[in-house]
Amino acid sequence: MVGIERAKLAEILGNLSTQQWQESTLCDQWQVRDVVAHLAAAGATGTGAWLVNMLSSGFNTDRHNDRLLGRYLGSDPEATRENFEQTVHKTVAPLNSVHGLLTEIIVHGQDIAVPLGIKLEPSRQSLRLVASFMATKNFAVNSHTLVKDLRFSATDYPFAHGEGPAVTGKLLDLVMVMAGRKNFVAKLDGEGAAQIGRRLS
């Protein structure tokens, strides 16, 4: 499933212009090329190398990401794209978190596609796995903490989690909100939607 979602993004990346590679994404301070390099690093770094880099970075997550980013940016966008494409069918997962890899490719894929106005649609099965994973675990972002005491339910696919004030919307929008993307809150409905907005603020 990770490979399928990576291949979808790789197809889009192969058609980007030089200008599009320099466009901003939904990740603060990261351009398209930075996000792609980040995904390449995630797909090529095993647990041992990940731990060594984290130790060398003084357990500072930002420094850890920056060090890996530098390795996979390459000399130009074409090199960045090639680095990512080499990971499409790899089965390396830092800390053996395959669900984490699937979450990263889906969320970061939208981080790239949405600002560019490009449609990138994850599979229903992938979305449901990621939504369940994020609702029950804090991985990279505090998604589990964010949804605490709220009832998340999708209007397009069978998915529901939690108890409390309702937060409803399309499953992809729910996933992006759980990933901390504030601009997706406006797409949600229910009495709990305003609470999510306050938590993200």
Side-chain angles (χ1 to χ4, degrees), residues 103-168:
T103 299
E104 287 225 330
I105 188 62
I106 286 181
V107 172
H108 286 319
Q110 297 302 310
D111 288 337
I112 293 168
V114 170
L116 294 178
I118 297 172
K119 185 176 182 180
L120 177 59
E121 190 171 347
S123 74
R124 178 181 301 190
Q125 186 180 9
S126 293
L127 271 179
R128 289 181 65 186
L129 279 176
V130 167
S132 297
F133 176 72
M134 297 189 78
T136 55
K137 291 188 184 335
N138 288 331
F139 178 85
V141 293
N142 294 326
S143 52
H144 173 57
T145 303
L146 180 67
V147 305
K148 186 178 180 181
D149 300 323
L150 295 171
R151 174 70 172 176
F152 268 54
S153 59
T155 56
D156 52 347
Y157 297 148
F159 172 80
H161 173 83
E163 298 294 335
V167 180
T168 62

Coordinates of all heavy atoms in Angstrom, one line a residue, residues 103-168:
T103 N 1.2 6.9 6.6 CA 0.7 8.2 7.0 C 1.5 9.4 6.4 O 0.9 10.3 5.9 CB 0.8 8.4 8.6 OG1 0.0 7.3 9.2 CG2 0.3 9.7 9.0
E104 N 2.8 9.2 6.4 CA 3.6 10.3 5.8 C 3.4 10.5 4.3 O 3.3 11.6 3.9 CB 5.1 9.9 6.1 CG 5.6 10.1 7.5 CD 6.9 10.8 7.6 OE1 7.7 10.7 6.7 OE2 7.1 11.5 8.6
I105 N 3.3 9.4 3.6 CA 3.1 9.6 2.1 C 1.8 10.2 1.8 O 1.6 11.0 0.9 CB 3.4 8.2 1.4 CG1 3.4 8.5 -0.1 CG2 2.3 7.2 1.7 CD1 4.5 9.4 -0.6
I106 N 0.7 9.8 2.6 CA -0.6 10.4 2.3 C -0.7 11.8 2.7 O -1.1 12.7 1.9 CB -1.7 9.5 3.0 CG1 -1.9 8.2 2.2 CG2 -3.0 10.3 3.1 CD1 -2.9 7.3 2.8
V107 N -0.2 12.1 3.9 CA -0.3 13.5 4.4 C 0.6 14.4 3.6 O 0.2 15.5 3.1 CB 0.0 13.6 5.9 CG1 0.1 15.1 6.3 CG2 -1.0 12.9 6.7
H108 N 1.8 14.0 3.4 CA 2.8 14.9 2.6 C 2.4 15.0 1.1 O 2.7 16.0 0.5 CB 4.2 14.4 2.8 CG 4.7 14.7 4.2 ND1 4.5 16.0 4.8 CD2 5.6 14.0 5.0 CE1 5.1 16.0 6.0 NE2 5.8 14.8 6.1
G109 N 1.8 13.9 0.6 CA 1.3 14.0 -0.7 C 0.3 15.1 -0.9 O 0.3 15.9 -1.9
Q110 N -0.6 15.2 0.1 CA -1.6 16.3 0.0 C -0.9 17.7 0.3 O -1.3 18.7 -0.3 CB -2.7 16.1 1.1 CG -3.5 14.9 0.8 CD -4.2 14.8 -0.5 OE1 -4.8 15.8 -0.9 NE2 -4.0 13.7 -1.3
D111 N 0.1 17.7 1.1 CA 0.9 18.9 1.4 C 1.4 19.5 0.1 O 1.5 20.7 -0.1 CB 2.0 18.6 2.4 CG 1.6 18.4 3.8 OD1 0.5 18.8 4.1 OD2 2.3 17.8 4.5
I112 N 1.8 18.6 -0.8 CA 2.3 19.0 -2.1 C 1.2 19.3 -3.1 O 1.2 20.4 -3.7 CB 3.2 17.9 -2.7 CG1 4.5 17.7 -1.8 CG2 3.6 18.2 -4.1 CD1 5.3 16.5 -2.2
A113 N 0.2 18.4 -3.2 CA -0.8 18.5 -4.3 C -1.8 19.6 -4.1 O -2.1 20.3 -5.1 CB -1.5 17.2 -4.4
V114 N -2.2 19.9 -2.9 CA -3.3 20.8 -2.7 C -2.9 22.3 -3.1 O -3.6 22.9 -3.8 CB -3.8 20.8 -1.2 CG1 -4.7 22.0 -0.9 CG2 -4.5 19.5 -0.9
P115 N -1.7 22.8 -2.6 CA -1.3 24.1 -3.0 C -1.1 24.2 -4.5 O -1.3 25.3 -5.1 CB 0.0 24.4 -2.3 CG -0.1 23.4 -1.1 CD -0.8 22.2 -1.6
L116 N -0.7 23.1 -5.2 CA -0.5 23.2 -6.6 C -1.8 23.0 -7.4 O -1.8 23.1 -8.7 CB 0.5 22.0 -7.0 CG 1.9 22.2 -6.5 CD1 2.8 21.0 -7.0 CD2 2.6 23.5 -7.0
G117 N -2.9 22.7 -6.7 CA -4.2 22.5 -7.4 C -4.2 21.2 -8.2 O -5.0 21.1 -9.2
I118 N -3.5 20.2 -7.7 CA -3.4 18.9 -8.4 C -4.2 17.9 -7.5 O -4.1 17.8 -6.3 CB -2.0 18.4 -8.5 CG1 -1.2 19.4 -9.4 CG2 -1.9 17.0 -9.1 CD1 0.3 19.1 -9.5
K119 N -5.1 17.1 -8.2 CA -5.8 16.1 -7.4 C -5.0 14.8 -7.2 O -4.4 14.3 -8.1 CB -7.1 15.7 -8.2 CG -8.0 14.7 -7.5 CD -9.3 14.5 -8.3 CE -10.2 13.5 -7.5 NZ -11.5 13.3 -8.3
L120 N -4.8 14.4 -5.9 CA -4.1 13.2 -5.6 C -5.0 12.5 -4.6 O -5.2 12.9 -3.5 CB -2.8 13.6 -4.9 CG -1.9 12.5 -4.4 CD1 -1.6 11.5 -5.5 CD2 -0.7 13.0 -3.7
E121 N -5.6 11.4 -5.0 CA -6.6 10.7 -4.3 C -6.0 9.4 -3.7 O -5.8 8.4 -4.5 CB -7.8 10.4 -5.1 CG -9.0 9.9 -4.4 CD -10.3 9.9 -5.2 OE1 -10.3 10.5 -6.3 OE2 -11.2 9.2 -4.7
P122 N -5.8 9.3 -2.4 CA -5.4 8.0 -1.8 C -6.5 6.9 -1.9 O -7.7 7.3 -2.0 CB -5.1 8.4 -0.3 CG -5.1 9.9 -0.3 CD -6.0 10.3 -1.4
S123 N -6.1 5.7 -1.8 CA -7.1 4.6 -1.8 C -7.9 4.7 -0.5 O -7.5 5.1 0.5 CB -6.4 3.3 -2.0 OG -5.8 2.9 -0.8
R124 N -9.1 4.1 -0.6 CA -10.0 4.1 0.5 C -9.4 3.3 1.7 O -9.4 3.7 2.8 CB -11.4 3.5 0.1 CG -12.3 3.3 1.3 CD -13.6 2.7 0.9 NE -14.3 3.4 -0.2 CZ -15.5 3.2 -0.6 NH1 -16.2 2.2 0.0 NH2 -16.1 3.9 -1.5
Q125 N -8.8 2.1 1.3 CA -8.2 1.3 2.4 C -7.0 2.0 3.1 O -6.9 1.9 4.3 CB -7.7 0.0 1.8 CG -7.2 -1.0 2.8 CD -6.8 -2.3 2.1 OE1 -6.7 -2.4 0.9 NE2 -6.5 -3.3 3.0
S126 N -6.2 2.7 2.3 CA -5.1 3.4 2.9 C -5.6 4.5 3.8 O -5.0 4.7 4.9 CB -4.2 4.0 1.8 OG -3.6 3.0 1.0
L127 N -6.6 5.3 3.4 CA -7.1 6.3 4.2 C -7.7 5.8 5.5 O -7.5 6.4 6.6 CB -8.2 7.1 3.4 CG -7.8 8.2 2.5 CD1 -9.0 8.8 1.8 CD2 -7.0 9.3 3.4
R128 N -8.4 4.7 5.5 CA -9.0 4.2 6.7 C -7.9 3.7 7.7 O -8.0 3.9 8.9 CB -9.9 3.0 6.3 CG -11.2 3.5 5.7 CD -12.2 2.4 5.4 NE -12.6 1.7 6.6 CZ -13.4 0.6 6.6 NH1 -13.7 0.0 5.5 NH2 -13.8 0.1 7.7
L129 N -6.9 3.1 7.1 CA -5.8 2.6 8.0 C -5.1 3.8 8.7 O -4.8 3.8 9.8 CB -4.8 1.8 7.2 CG -5.1 0.3 7.0 CD1 -4.0 -0.3 6.1 CD2 -5.2 -0.4 8.3
V130 N -4.8 4.9 7.9 CA -4.1 6.0 8.4 C -5.0 6.8 9.4 O -4.5 7.2 10.4 CB -3.7 7.0 7.2 CG1 -3.3 8.4 7.7 CG2 -2.6 6.4 6.4
A131 N -6.3 6.9 9.1 CA -7.2 7.6 10.0 C -7.2 6.8 11.4 O -7.2 7.5 12.5 CB -8.6 7.6 9.4
S132 N -7.3 5.5 11.4 CA -7.3 4.7 12.6 C -6.0 4.8 13.3 O -6.0 4.9 14.6 CB -7.6 3.2 12.3 OG -8.9 3.1 11.7
F133 N -4.9 4.8 12.6 CA -3.6 4.9 13.2 C -3.4 6.3 13.9 O -3.0 6.4 15.0 CB -2.5 4.8 12.1 CG -1.1 5.0 12.6 CD1 -0.5 4.0 13.4 CD2 -0.4 6.1 12.2 CE1 0.8 4.2 13.8 CE2 0.9 6.3 12.6 CZ 1.5 5.3 13.4
M134 N -3.8 7.4 13.2 CA -3.6 8.7 13.8 C -4.6 9.0 14.9 O -4.2 9.7 15.9 CB -3.9 9.7 12.7 CG -2.9 9.7 11.5 SD -3.0 11.1 10.4 CE -2.1 12.3 11.3
A135 N -5.8 8.4 14.9 CA -6.7 8.6 16.0 C -6.3 7.9 17.3 O -6.7 8.3 18.4 CB -8.1 8.1 15.6
T136 N -5.4 6.9 17.2 CA -5.1 6.1 18.3 C -3.6 6.3 18.8 O -3.2 5.8 19.8 CB -5.3 4.6 18.1 OG1 -4.6 4.2 16.9 CG2 -6.8 4.3 17.9
K137 N -2.8 7.0 18.0 CA -1.4 7.1 18.3 C -0.9 8.6 18.0 O -1.3 9.1 17.0 CB -0.5 6.1 17.6 CG -0.7 4.7 18.0 CD 0.3 3.8 17.3 CE 0.2 2.3 17.6 NZ -0.5 1.9 18.8
N138 N 0.0 9.1 18.8 CA 0.7 10.3 18.5 C 2.0 9.9 17.8 O 2.9 9.4 18.4 CB 1.0 11.1 19.8 CG -0.2 11.7 20.4 OD1 -1.1 12.1 19.7 ND2 -0.1 11.9 21.7
F139 N 2.0 10.1 16.5 CA 3.2 9.8 15.7 C 3.6 11.0 14.9 O 2.9 11.4 14.0 CB 2.9 8.6 14.7 CG 4.0 8.2 13.8 CD1 5.0 7.4 14.3 CD2 4.1 8.8 12.5 CE1 6.1 7.0 13.4 CE2 5.2 8.4 11.7 CZ 6.2 7.6 12.2
A140 N 4.7 11.6 15.2 CA 5.2 12.8 14.6 C 4.4 14.0 14.9 O 4.9 15.1 15.1 CB 5.3 12.6 13.1
V141 N 3.1 13.9 15.0 CA 2.2 14.9 15.4 C 1.3 14.4 16.5 O 1.1 13.1 16.6 CB 1.3 15.5 14.3 CG1 2.1 16.2 13.2 CG2 0.5 14.3 13.6
N142 N 0.7 15.2 17.3 CA -0.1 14.8 18.5 C -1.6 14.5 18.0 O -2.5 15.1 18.6 CB -0.1 15.8 19.6 CG 1.3 16.0 20.2 OD1 2.0 15.0 20.3 ND2 1.7 17.2 20.6
S143 N -1.8 13.7 17.1 CA -3.1 13.4 16.5 C -4.0 12.8 17.5 O -5.2 13.1 17.6 CB -3.0 12.6 15.2 OG -2.2 11.4 15.5
H144 N -3.5 11.8 18.3 CA -4.4 11.1 19.3 C -4.9 12.1 20.3 O -6.0 12.1 20.7 CB -3.6 10.0 19.9 CG -4.3 9.3 21.0 ND1 -5.6 8.8 20.9 CD2 -3.9 9.1 22.3 CE1 -6.0 8.3 22.1 NE2 -5.0 8.5 23.0
T145 N -3.9 13.0 20.8 CA -4.3 14.0 21.8 C -5.3 15.0 21.2 O -6.2 15.4 21.9 CB -3.0 14.7 22.2 OG1 -2.1 13.8 22.7 CG2 -3.3 15.8 23.3
L146 N -5.1 15.3 19.9 CA -6.0 16.3 19.3 C -7.5 15.8 19.2 O -8.4 16.6 19.4 CB -5.5 16.6 17.8 CG -6.3 17.6 17.0 CD1 -6.2 19.0 17.6 CD2 -5.8 17.5 15.6
V147 N -7.7 14.5 19.0 CA -9.1 14.0 18.8 C -9.7 13.5 20.1 O -10.8 13.1 20.1 CB -9.1 12.9 17.8 CG1 -8.5 13.4 16.5 CG2 -8.4 11.6 18.3
K148 N -9.0 13.7 21.2 CA -9.5 13.2 22.5 C -10.8 13.8 22.9 O -11.0 15.0 22.7 CB -8.5 13.5 23.6 CG -8.8 12.9 25.0 CD -7.7 13.2 26.0 CE -8.1 12.6 27.4 NZ -7.1 12.9 28.4
D149 N -11.8 12.9 23.4 CA -13.1 13.3 23.8 C -13.9 13.9 22.7 O -14.9 14.7 22.9 CB -13.0 14.4 25.0 CG -12.3 13.8 26.2 OD1 -12.4 12.6 26.4 OD2 -11.5 14.5 26.8
L150 N -13.6 13.6 21.4 CA -14.4 14.0 20.3 C -14.9 12.8 19.5 O -14.2 11.7 19.5 CB -13.7 15.0 19.4 CG -13.3 16.3 20.0 CD1 -12.4 17.1 19.1 CD2 -14.6 17.1 20.3
R151 N -15.9 12.9 18.8 CA -16.4 11.8 17.9 C -16.2 12.1 16.5 O -16.8 13.0 15.9 CB -17.9 11.6 18.1 CG -18.6 10.6 17.2 CD -18.2 9.2 17.5 NE -19.0 8.2 16.7 CZ -18.7 6.9 16.8 NH1 -17.8 6.4 17.5 NH2 -19.5 6.0 16.1
F152 N -15.1 11.5 15.9 CA -14.8 11.7 14.5 C -15.5 10.7 13.6 O -15.4 9.5 13.9 CB -13.2 11.6 14.3 CG -12.5 12.8 14.4 CD1 -12.6 13.7 15.5 CD2 -11.6 13.2 13.4 CE1 -11.9 14.8 15.6 CE2 -10.9 14.4 13.5 CZ -11.0 15.2 14.6
S153 N -16.2 11.2 12.6 CA -16.8 10.3 11.7 C -16.8 10.8 10.3 O -17.0 12.0 10.1 CB -18.3 10.0 12.1 OG -19.0 11.2 12.2
A154 N -16.6 9.9 9.3 CA -16.5 10.3 7.9 C -17.8 10.3 7.2 O -18.7 9.4 7.5 CB -15.5 9.4 7.2
T155 N -18.0 11.2 6.3 CA -19.3 11.2 5.6 C -19.2 10.5 4.2 O -20.3 10.2 3.6 CB -19.6 12.7 5.3 OG1 -18.6 13.3 4.6 CG2 -19.9 13.4 6.6
D156 N -18.0 10.1 3.8 CA -17.9 9.4 2.5 C -17.5 8.0 2.6 O -17.8 7.1 1.8 CB -16.9 10.2 1.6 CG -15.6 10.4 2.3 OD1 -15.4 10.3 3.5 OD2 -14.6 10.9 1.6
Y157 N -16.7 7.6 3.7 CA -16.3 6.2 3.9 C -16.7 5.7 5.3 O -16.9 6.6 6.2 CB -14.7 6.1 3.8 CG -14.2 6.5 2.4 CD1 -12.9 7.0 2.3 CD2 -14.8 6.2 1.3 CE1 -12.3 7.4 1.1 CE2 -14.3 6.5 0.0 CZ -13.0 7.1 0.0 OH -12.5 7.4 -1.2
P158 N -16.8 4.4 5.5 CA -17.1 3.9 6.9 C -15.9 4.1 7.8 O -15.0 3.4 7.8 CB -17.4 2.4 6.7 CG -17.6 2.3 5.2 CD -16.8 3.3 4.5
F159 N -16.0 5.2 8.6 CA -15.0 5.4 9.6 C -15.6 6.2 10.8 O -16.2 7.2 10.5 CB -13.8 6.2 9.1 CG -12.8 6.6 10.2 CD1 -11.9 5.7 10.7 CD2 -12.8 7.9 10.7 CE1 -11.0 6.1 11.7 CE2 -12.0 8.3 11.7 CZ -11.1 7.4 12.2
A160 N -15.4 5.8 12.0 CA -15.8 6.5 13.2 C -14.9 6.2 14.3 O -14.4 5.1 14.4 CB -17.2 6.2 13.5
H161 N -14.6 7.2 15.1 CA -13.7 7.0 16.3 C -14.0 7.9 17.4 O -14.3 9.1 17.2 CB -12.2 7.2 15.9 CG -11.3 7.2 17.1 ND1 -10.8 6.0 17.5 CD2 -10.8 8.1 17.9 CE1 -10.0 6.2 18.6 NE2 -10.0 7.5 18.8
G162 N -14.0 7.4 18.6 CA -14.2 8.3 19.8 C -15.6 8.6 20.2 O -16.6 8.2 19.5
E163 N -15.7 9.2 21.3 CA -17.0 9.7 21.9 C -16.9 11.1 22.3 O -15.9 11.6 22.8 CB -17.4 8.8 23.1 CG -17.5 7.3 22.8 CD -18.7 7.0 21.8 OE1 -19.7 7.8 21.8 OE2 -18.7 6.0 21.2
G164 N -18.0 11.8 22.1 CA -18.1 13.2 22.5 C -18.7 14.1 21.4 O -19.4 13.5 20.5
P165 N -18.5 15.4 21.4 CA -19.1 16.3 20.4 C -18.6 15.8 19.0 O -17.5 15.4 18.8 CB -18.5 17.6 20.7 CG -18.2 17.6 22.2 CD -17.8 16.2 22.5
A166 N -19.5 15.8 18.0 CA -19.3 15.3 16.7 C -18.4 16.2 15.8 O -18.5 17.4 15.9 CB -20.6 15.1 16.0
V167 N -17.5 15.5 15.1 CA -16.7 16.2 14.1 C -16.8 15.3 12.8 O -16.4 14.2 12.8 CB -15.2 16.2 14.5 CG1 -14.4 16.9 13.4 CG2 -15.0 17.0 15.8
T168 N -17.5 15.9 11.8 CA -17.8 15.1 10.6 C -17.2 15.8 9.4 O -17.0 17.0 9.3 CB -19.3 14.9 10.4 OG1 -19.9 16.2 10.2 CG2 -19.9 14.2 11.6

